[in-house]
Coordinates of all heavy atoms in Angstrom, one line a residue:
D1 N 0.7 -1.2 -0.1 CA 0.0 0.0 0.0 C 0.9 1.2 0.0 O 2.0 1.3 0.5 CB -0.9 0.0 1.2 CG -1.9 -0.9 1.1 OD1 -2.0 -1.8 0.2 OD2 -2.8 -1.0 2.2
N2 N 0.3 2.3 -0.5 CA 1.1 3.4 -0.7 C 1.5 4.1 0.7 O 2.6 4.6 0.9 CB 0.3 4.5 -1.4 CG 0.3 4.4 -3.0 OD1 1.2 3.7 -3.5 ND2 -0.7 4.8 -3.6
G3 N 0.6 3.9 1.7 CA 0.9 4.5 3.0 C 2.1 3.7 3.6 O 2.8 4.3 4.4
F4 N 2.1 2.5 3.6 CA 3.1 1.7 4.0 C 4.6 2.1 3.3 O 5.5 2.3 4.0 CB 3.0 0.2 3.8 CG 4.2 -0.6 4.4 CD1 4.3 -0.7 5.8 CD2 5.0 -1.2 3.5 CE1 5.4 -1.4 6.4 CE2 6.0 -2.0 4.1 CZ 6.2 -2.1 5.4
H5 N 4.5 2.3 2.0 CA 5.6 2.7 1.3 C 6.1 4.1 1.7 O 7.3 4.3 1.7 CB 5.3 2.8 -0.2 CG 5.2 1.4 -0.8 ND1 5.0 1.3 -2.2 CD2 5.3 0.3 -0.4 CE1 4.9 0.0 -2.5 NE2 5.1 -0.6 -1.3
K6 N 5.2 5.1 2.1 CA 5.6 6.4 2.6 C 6.4 6.2 3.9 O 7.3 7.0 4.1 CB 4.4 7.2 2.8 CG 3.7 7.7 1.4 CD 2.6 8.5 1.7 CE 1.9 9.0 0.3 NZ 0.7 9.8 0.5
I7 N 6.1 5.3 4.8 CA 6.7 5.1 6.0 C 8.2 4.6 5.7 O 9.2 5.1 6.2 CB 6.1 4.0 6.9 CG1 4.7 4.6 7.3 CG2 6.9 3.6 8.0 CD1 3.9 3.5 8.1
I8 N 8.4 3.7 4.8 CA 9.8 3.2 4.4 C 10.6 4.3 3.8 O 11.7 4.5 4.0 CB 9.6 2.1 3.3 CG1 9.0 0.8 4.0 CG2 11.1 1.6 2.8 CD1 8.7 -0.3 2.9
A9 N 9.9 5.2 2.9 CA 10.6 6.1 2.2 C 11.3 7.3 3.0 O 12.1 8.0 2.6 CB 9.7 6.7 1.1
K10 N 10.6 7.5 4.2 CA 11.2 8.4 5.1 C 12.6 8.0 5.7 O 13.1 8.9 6.3 CB 10.2 8.8 6.1 CG 9.9 7.8 7.2 CD 9.0 8.4 8.2 CE 8.8 7.4 9.4 NZ 7.9 7.8 10.4
Y11 N 12.9 6.7 5.7 CA 14.2 6.2 6.3 C 15.2 6.4 5.3 O 15.1 6.1 4.2 CB 13.9 4.8 6.8 CG 13.1 4.7 8.0 CD1 11.8 4.7 8.0 CD2 13.8 4.7 9.3 CE1 11.1 4.6 9.2 CE2 13.0 4.7 10.5 CZ 11.7 4.5 10.4 OH 10.9 4.4 11.6
K12 N 16.4 6.8 5.8 CA 17.7 6.8 4.9 C 18.1 5.3 4.6 O 18.7 5.1 3.5 CB 18.7 7.7 5.6 CG 18.3 9.1 5.7 CD 19.4 9.9 6.5 CE 20.7 10.1 5.7 NZ 21.7 11.1 6.4
F13 N 17.9 4.4 5.5 CA 18.4 3.1 5.4 C 17.3 2.0 5.7 O 16.5 2.3 6.6 CB 19.5 2.9 6.3 CG 20.7 3.8 6.1 CD1 20.9 5.0 6.9 CD2 21.7 3.7 5.2 CE1 21.9 5.8 6.9 CE2 22.8 4.6 5.0 CZ 22.8 5.6 5.7
T14 N 17.2 0.9 5.0 CA 16.4 -0.2 5.4 C 17.3 -1.4 5.5 O 18.1 -1.8 4.6 CB 15.4 -0.3 4.3 OG1 14.5 0.8 4.3 CG2 14.5 -1.6 4.6
L15 N 17.1 -2.2 6.5 CA 17.8 -3.4 6.7 C 17.0 -4.5 5.9 O 15.9 -4.9 6.3 CB 17.9 -3.8 8.3 CG 18.6 -2.9 9.1 CD1 18.4 -3.1 10.6 CD2 20.2 -3.1 8.8
A16 N 17.6 -5.0 4.8 CA 17.0 -6.0 3.9 C 17.8 -7.2 4.0 O 18.8 -7.4 3.2 CB 17.1 -5.2 2.5
F17 N 17.3 -8.0 4.9 CA 18.0 -9.3 5.1 C 17.0 -10.4 4.6 O 15.9 -10.5 5.0 CB 18.3 -9.5 6.6 CG 19.4 -8.8 7.1 CD1 19.6 -7.5 6.9 CD2 20.4 -9.4 7.9 CE1 20.7 -6.7 7.5 CE2 21.4 -8.7 8.4 CZ 21.6 -7.3 8.2
E18 N 17.6 -11.3 3.7 CA 16.7 -12.4 3.4 C 16.5 -13.5 4.5 O 17.4 -13.5 5.4 CB 17.4 -13.2 2.1 CG 17.6 -12.2 0.9 CD 16.4 -11.7 0.2 OE1 15.3 -12.0 0.7 OE2 16.6 -11.0 -0.7
N19 N 15.7 -14.4 4.3 CA 15.4 -15.4 5.3 C 16.4 -16.6 5.0 O 16.5 -17.5 5.9 CB 14.0 -15.8 5.6 CG 13.4 -16.3 4.1 OD1 14.0 -17.0 3.4 ND2 12.1 -16.0 3.9
A20 N 17.0 -16.6 3.9 CA 18.0 -17.6 3.6 C 18.9 -17.1 2.6 O 18.7 -16.2 1.8 CB 17.3 -18.9 3.1
I21 N 20.2 -17.7 2.6 CA 21.1 -17.4 1.7 C 21.3 -18.3 0.5 O 21.7 -19.4 0.6 CB 22.6 -17.2 2.5 CG1 22.4 -16.4 3.8 CG2 23.7 -16.7 1.5 CD1 21.9 -15.1 3.6
C22 N 20.8 -17.8 -0.6 CA 20.8 -18.7 -1.8 C 21.2 -17.9 -3.1 O 20.9 -16.7 -3.1 CB 19.3 -19.3 -2.0 SG 18.5 -19.7 -0.6
E23 N 21.8 -18.5 -4.0 CA 22.4 -17.8 -5.2 C 21.4 -16.9 -5.9 O 21.7 -15.7 -6.2 CB 22.9 -18.9 -6.0 CG 23.8 -18.2 -7.2 CD 25.0 -17.6 -6.8 OE1 25.6 -18.0 -5.8 OE2 25.5 -16.6 -7.5
D24 N 20.2 -17.4 -6.2 CA 19.3 -16.7 -7.0 C 18.0 -16.2 -6.2 O 17.0 -16.0 -6.8 CB 18.9 -17.5 -8.1 CG 19.9 -17.7 -9.3 OD1 20.7 -16.9 -9.3 OD2 19.8 -18.6 -10.0
Y25 N 18.2 -16.1 -4.9 CA 16.9 -15.7 -4.1 C 17.1 -14.3 -3.6 O 17.8 -14.0 -2.6 CB 17.0 -16.6 -2.9 CG 15.8 -16.5 -2.0 CD1 14.5 -16.6 -2.4 CD2 15.9 -16.1 -0.6 CE1 13.4 -16.4 -1.6 CE2 14.9 -16.0 0.3 CZ 13.6 -16.1 -0.3 OH 12.5 -15.9 0.5
I26 N 16.5 -13.5 -4.4 CA 16.5 -11.9 -4.1 C 15.0 -11.6 -4.1 O 14.3 -11.7 -5.1 CB 17.3 -11.1 -5.0 CG1 18.7 -11.7 -5.2 CG2 17.4 -9.7 -4.8 CD1 19.5 -11.1 -6.3
T27 N 14.6 -11.0 -3.0 CA 13.2 -10.7 -2.8 C 12.7 -9.3 -2.7 O 13.6 -8.3 -2.7 CB 12.5 -11.5 -1.7 OG1 13.0 -10.8 -0.4 CG2 13.0 -13.0 -1.6
E28 N 11.6 -9.0 -2.4 CA 11.0 -7.6 -2.3 C 11.7 -7.0 -1.0 O 11.6 -5.7 -0.9 CB 9.5 -7.7 -2.0 CG 9.0 -8.0 -0.6 CD 9.3 -9.5 -0.2 OE1 9.4 -10.4 -1.2 OE2 9.2 -9.9 0.9
K29 N 12.3 -7.7 -0.2 CA 13.1 -7.1 1.0 C 14.1 -6.2 0.3 O 14.4 -5.1 1.1 CB 13.6 -8.1 1.9 CG 12.6 -9.1 2.5 CD 13.4 -10.2 3.3 CE 12.3 -11.3 3.8 NZ 11.7 -11.9 2.7
L30 N 14.7 -6.5 -0.8 CA 15.7 -5.5 -1.3 C 15.0 -4.6 -2.3 O 15.2 -3.4 -2.3 CB 16.6 -6.4 -2.1 CG 17.6 -5.6 -3.0 CD1 18.4 -4.6 -2.2 CD2 18.6 -6.6 -3.7
W31 N 14.1 -5.2 -3.2 CA 13.5 -4.3 -4.3 C 12.7 -3.2 -3.8 O 12.6 -2.2 -4.3 CB 12.7 -5.2 -5.3 CG 13.4 -6.5 -5.8 CD1 13.0 -7.6 -5.7 CD2 14.7 -6.4 -6.5 NE1 14.0 -8.6 -6.3 CE2 15.0 -7.8 -6.8 CE3 15.5 -5.4 -7.0 CZ2 16.1 -8.2 -7.5 CZ3 16.6 -5.8 -7.6 CH2 17.0 -7.1 -7.9
R32 N 12.0 -3.5 -2.7 CA 11.0 -2.4 -2.2 C 11.7 -1.1 -1.8 O 11.5 0.0 -2.2 CB 10.1 -2.9 -1.1 CG 9.1 -1.9 -0.7 CD 8.3 -2.6 0.5 NE 7.4 -3.6 0.1 CZ 7.4 -4.9 0.6 NH1 8.3 -5.1 1.6 NH2 6.6 -5.8 0.2
P33 N 12.8 -1.3 -0.7 CA 13.5 0.0 -0.4 C 14.2 0.7 -1.6 O 14.5 1.8 -1.7 CB 14.3 -0.4 0.7 CG 14.5 -1.9 0.6 CD 13.2 -2.4 0.0
L34 N 14.8 -0.2 -2.5 CA 15.6 0.3 -3.6 C 14.7 1.2 -4.5 O 15.1 2.2 -4.9 CB 16.1 -0.8 -4.4 CG 17.2 -0.6 -5.5 CD1 18.5 -0.2 -4.8 CD2 17.4 -1.8 -6.5
K35 N 13.5 0.7 -4.7 CA 12.6 1.6 -5.6 C 12.1 2.8 -4.9 O 12.1 3.8 -5.4 CB 11.3 0.6 -5.8 CG 10.1 1.3 -6.4 CD 8.9 0.5 -6.5 CE 7.7 1.3 -7.0 NZ 6.5 0.5 -7.1
L36 N 12.0 2.7 -3.5 CA 11.4 3.8 -2.7 C 12.5 4.9 -2.3 O 12.2 5.9 -1.8 CB 10.7 3.3 -1.5 CG 9.5 2.4 -1.8 CD1 9.0 1.9 -0.4 CD2 8.4 3.3 -2.5
G37 N 13.9 4.6 -2.6 CA 14.9 5.5 -2.2 C 15.4 5.5 -0.8 O 16.1 6.3 -0.3
S38 N 15.1 4.4 -0.1 CA 15.8 4.1 1.2 C 16.9 3.1 0.9 O 16.6 2.0 0.5 CB 14.7 3.5 2.2 OG 15.3 3.1 3.3
V39 N 18.1 3.4 1.1 CA 19.2 2.6 0.8 C 19.1 1.2 1.5 O 19.2 1.3 2.8 CB 20.6 3.4 1.2 CG1 21.7 2.5 0.8 CG2 20.7 4.7 0.4
P40 N 19.2 0.3 0.8 CA 19.1 -1.1 1.3 C 20.5 -1.5 2.0 O 21.6 -1.3 1.3 CB 18.8 -2.1 0.2 CG 18.3 -1.1 -0.8 CD 19.1 0.1 -0.7
I41 N 20.5 -2.1 3.2 CA 21.5 -2.7 3.8 C 21.3 -4.1 3.7 O 20.4 -4.7 4.4 CB 21.8 -2.2 5.2 CG1 22.0 -0.7 5.3 CG2 22.9 -3.0 6.0 CD1 21.9 -0.1 6.7
Y42 N 22.0 -4.9 2.8 CA 21.6 -6.2 2.3 C 22.4 -7.4 2.9 O 23.6 -7.2 2.8 CB 21.5 -6.1 0.7 CG 21.0 -7.5 0.2 CD1 19.6 -7.7 0.2 CD2 21.9 -8.4 -0.4 CE1 19.1 -8.9 -0.3 CE2 21.4 -9.6 -0.9 CZ 20.0 -9.9 -0.9 OH 19.4 -10.9 -1.5
K43 N 21.7 -8.4 3.1 CA 22.4 -9.8 3.5 C 21.5 -10.8 2.8 O 20.4 -10.9 3.0 CB 22.4 -9.9 4.9 CG 22.9 -11.3 5.3 CD 24.3 -11.4 5.2 CE 24.7 -12.9 5.8 NZ 26.1 -13.0 5.5

């Protein structure tokens, strides 16, 4: 929802950690803040 996205967008950084470490497993945990302009801190 747009309202939830606005909450993310106000943060300079978002902790974007996957639930498992797999070669081709990249999820919305990364794409969402990347799109919204909150720098992802990724694992």
Side-chain angles (χ1 to χ4, degrees):
D1 289 3
N2 287 335
F4 180 73
H5 286 185
K6 288 180 180 178
I7 294 173
I8 296 176
K10 73 179 183 179
Y11 282 89
K12 294 175 74 173
F13 305 95
T14 294
L15 293 167
F17 284 50
E18 305 288 6
N19 54 40
I21 309 302
C22 317
E23 185 68 28
D24 286 343
Y25 184 61
I26 306 173
T27 71
E28 80 290 340
K29 297 175 186 65
L30 171 61
W31 307 123
R32 186 183 288 125
L34 191 71
K35 171 185 175 182
L36 297 173
S38 178
V39 175
I41 300 170
Y42 183 75
K43 172 73 174 178

